[in-house]
Amino acid sequence: PRTLLLGLEHFPCPKIFWSIDTHLNAFWHKFYGRNFDLVLTTQKGWINRLQAGGLEKVKWLPWFGIKREWQNFSKRKYDLSFVCRVTAHRPARKWLVDFLQQEFGGFIAQDVEFARMLDIYEQTKLAPNEAIAGEVNFRTFEAPSCGALVLNQDLGDEISSLFIPGKETLIFNHVLELRELIEFYLKHQSQAENIALAGWRRIKSEHLPEHRAARLLNYAGNISPGTYTSR
């Protein structure tokens, strides 16, 4: 259920709305966001779209990771895993799950609690990623937080602005490239571990909650309250 804050025009403080799943909720975020002095989106490519939808001030603030301890690959249980929820509404995800299981015997976990998900990623070497609409999703940050090597769909600047492809994450365009990457890095696990470690370090240096909070405070200190009023 959606909870909407009303009466924001009565508060003199800077008011910021952080649109998390913009790719799924822009149809109402573009209207609700007009009640705030600034709108933030986790999806860099949606800034222009939100502005075209009537929002004047929009900035990028991506999601974040979690501070976790590093675990050497030699101690990890799963060569490859995918934590997800598969439904009839997600045929592409079902295809990916079938591919990972049939081709590589990948460990698939569905509908697990958050803490259990992190434990699985901490025991995982390779973590393929799949998004519902080509967005930077939670898995983009959660898996490398646990030291898993993430294989991301090629989202261009959306990913390269966060991690260095080939050095901190891996990128694929289609299932054939994904197969080649998995086959190579399962055979060359020391290389996989080096990339995973670099991604984990990037999380710790740039993508923790305190990093997002610092940027949020910086944004708040540079806006004039009252730009938007309820409409």
Side-chain angles (χ1 to χ4, degrees):
R2 299 187 184 106
T3 300
L4 306 180
L5 300 176
L6 303 178
L8 293 171
E9 69 274 14
H10 301 300
F11 292 87
C13 61
K15 295 171 286 291
I16 300 175
F17 175 57
W18 193 5
S19 173
I20 304 300
D21 285 332
T22 312
H23 57 292
L24 299 177
N25 295 287
F27 71 96
W28 68 273
H29 284 187
K30 66 182 180 181
F31 297 109
Y32 184 55
R34 297 178 188 180
N35 295 301
F36 296 81
D37 301 304
L38 176 66
V39 172
L40 304 176
T41 174
T42 54
Q43 309 302 319
K44 195 174 186 180
W46 274 87
I47 294 176
N48 291 336
R49 299 189 203 180
L50 291 175
Q51 291 173 332
L55 295 176
E56 297 176 21
K57 294 186 178 181
V58 185
K59 293 184 180 293
W60 180 48
L61 189 67
W63 197 240
F64 51 85
I66 305 118
K67 190 176 292 185
R68 302 276 290 194
E69 294 299 318
W70 171 257
Q71 180 89 299
N72 291 334
F73 269 29
S74 61
K75 298 179 180 178
R76 294 181 182 241
K77 180 178 180 180
Y78 307 112
D79 281 337
L80 184 151
S81 71
F82 188 58
V83 183
C84 62
R85 186 161 65 102
V86 180
T87 70
H89 303 291
R90 301 290 297 274
R93 174 161 293 182
K94 179 62 166 59
W95 298 335
L96 177 63
V97 165
D98 291 344
F99 167 77
L100 296 177
Q101 287 183 312
Q102 294 170 11
E103 298 289 327
F104 300 101
F107 176 71
I108 308 298
Q110 294 194 56
D111 299 316
V112 299
E113 295 182 353
F114 185 73
R116 170 60 178 153
M117 176 195 68
L118 296 179
D119 288 341
I120 291 172
Y121 282 138
E122 197 168 77
Q123 291 297 315
T124 296
K125 298 172 184 176
L126 305 186
N129 195 3
E130 184 266 346
I132 189 171
E135 79 283 358
V136 174
N137 56 17
F138 297 125
R139 193 180 296 105
T140 307
F141 297 96
E142 291 164 349
S145 293
C146 301
L149 173 53
V150 183
L151 296 91
N152 278 301
Q153 294 167 278
D154 189 356
L155 305 179
D157 184 53
E158 295 276 356
I159 292 293
S160 62
S161 295
L162 301 166
F163 301 94
I164 302 174
K167 294 185 177 181
E168 298 171 340
T169 189
L170 297 176
I171 301 295
F172 67 93
N173 283 289
H174 47 71
V175 70
L176 296 180
E177 286 187 355
L178 177 60
R179 175 189 278 126
E180 289 179 359
L181 287 171
I182 293 174
E183 289 177 344
F184 178 85
Y185 284 101
L186 286 180
K187 293 177 181 177
H188 302 83
Q189 293 196 16
S190 62
Q191 294 182 39
E193 185 171 23
N194 288 337
I195 299 173
L197 180 59
W200 176 80
R201 286 172 172 163
R202 174 71 70 171
I203 290 286
K204 293 189 71 174
S205 66
E206 292 187 16
H207 300 314
L208 291 177
E210 51 261 42
H211 301 126
R212 301 297 184 260
R215 192 187 300 185
L216 185 62
L217 290 172
N218 181 63
Y219 285 153
N222 288 281
I223 61 176
S224 300
T227 301
Y228 295 112
T229 58
S230 293
R231 301 171 187 176

